[in-house]
Amino acid sequence: MGKFNNKIEAEFDPPRKWILSRALTYTNPDIDEDALERVGVKVVGSRITVKKDFVTDLASVPRMCWAFIAPWDVARAAIIHDLLYKAIRMYRRQCSKCLKNSENPVLIHDAKAASDNIFLLGMKDAEPPVPKWKMYAAYYSVRMFGRWSIIPREGD
């Protein structure tokens, strides 16, 4: 069973971004620390911390789907997930700058799987509870479509 340190405190930065006004932490003993630390995520005592001033879009849910799953339904888990995906993108960018492309596809796969699992764990630990159908719809969406979100991009 995991736990978030608090509710989200963030300022809206139009049109689609939020900037955290205080840190958000998630602790869960089931976090796969090894896969995440190898791409640069700092995991301390089964705890992941998203620092103040982190920029997030909460959850990348297409606007037409908000009637079913709105970004704020899964927001805390999504912020943790955003941090993890950003770490994977940064790892991949760093590897692409090396003389030889030293990117490890198995490591990237494992880190993405661990990140997606933490997203699911975070939704399970959310208060108020996230309905199971929303939880699994969001989880399977990132499992299937998240591969495009771990490609390095400008602004990271």
Side-chain angles (χ1 to χ4, degrees):
M1 186 88 175
K3 183 178 178 176
F4 290 94
N5 68 323
N6 215 327
K7 294 184 179 187
I8 300 166
E9 189 174 294
E11 184 176 324
F12 183 56
D13 183 26
R16 293 186 180 103
K17 302 293 180 190
W18 294 84
I19 302 170
L20 292 185
S21 302
R22 69 172 171 212
L24 176 69
T25 64
Y26 178 62
T27 307
N28 191 311
D30 296 327
I31 290 174
D32 182 355
E33 295 179 27
D34 183 53
L36 296 172
E37 287 180 339
R38 291 174 43 207
V39 294
V41 177
K42 189 173 184 180
V43 182
V44 179
S46 298
R47 182 177 62 238
I48 297 170
T49 300
V50 182
K51 294 181 180 177
K52 179 184 176 204
D53 297 325
F54 182 77
V55 178
T56 180
D57 65 352
L58 300 181
S60 303
V61 178
R63 180 76 182 198
M64 66 183 186
C65 298
W66 282 17
F68 306 106
I69 302 174
W72 43 86
D73 291 341
V74 296
R76 285 188 289 179
I79 292 170
I80 301 295
H81 191 250
D82 281 355
L83 174 75
L84 302 178
Y85 268 26
K86 183 176 182 180
I88 296 169
R89 288 192 306 272
M90 291 172 65
Y91 165 80
R92 294 184 75 187
R93 173 171 285 138
Q94 182 181 10
C95 289
S96 69
K97 290 181 180 177
C98 296
L99 292 176
K100 293 186 239 172
N101 188 356
S102 58
E103 190 174 288
N104 181 340
V106 173
L107 174 58
I108 292 166
H109 174 271
D110 292 350
K112 182 187 177 307
S115 300
D116 295 345
N117 187 50
I118 290 167
F119 181 51
L120 179 61
L121 291 171
M123 288 186 290
K124 287 180 178 179
D125 294 328
E127 278 298 322
V130 177
K132 281 190 177 186
W133 70 268
K134 282 186 183 185
M135 193 183 319
Y136 285 99
Y139 170 73
Y140 286 114
S141 293
V142 299
R143 291 296 298 152
M144 287 191 301
F145 302 112
R147 66 179 166 262
W148 291 287
S149 295
I150 59 171
I151 296 171
R153 59 185 181 219
E154 294 300 319
D156 278 339

